[in-house]
Amino acid sequence: LHSMHKVVLKIPNLENLEHFKKEIQNLELVQYEWVEQPENTTTCLAILSQDRLPKPLMEKYSVKLF
């Protein structure tokens, strides 16, 4: 992680995050998921891709640069 280029994005709510996660998993982009315990809630996704996230997908779930 230290040598990786990092961009922080925010998503407005947990429901959008869960749907967004499923869609990027279908694109095989998810590399790591942080899950908050004991709530068992996803709080962060790390993705690895040579390409950018698809803009329509980001717009669909209101993903914005933080």
Side-chain angles (χ1 to χ4, degrees):
L1 282 176
H2 296 292
S3 63
M4 291 176 57
H5 180 78
K6 298 159 196 79
V7 175
V8 178
L9 303 171
K10 69 177 183 176
I11 200 159
N13 56 52
L14 185 58
E15 181 180 349
N16 277 15
L17 178 63
E18 290 298 324
H19 290 294
F20 183 72
K21 177 179 74 172
K22 287 178 184 170
E23 290 211 33
I24 62 174
Q25 282 174 330
N26 289 339
L27 297 173
E28 298 179 357
L29 296 177
V30 172
Q31 297 297 312
Y32 190 82
E33 175 182 358
W34 281 267
V35 178
E36 194 69 34
Q37 295 299 333
E39 298 87 358
N40 201 34
T41 303
T42 300
T43 56
C44 183
L45 300 172
I47 61 173
L48 177 63
S49 174
Q50 299 295 347
D51 301 318
R52 295 178 180 208
L53 287 171
K55 189 170 183 164
L57 184 63
M58 293 180 66
E59 289 172 351
K60 181 177 179 181
Y61 294 108
S62 302
V63 177
K64 306 271 188 227
L65 192 59
F66 186 67

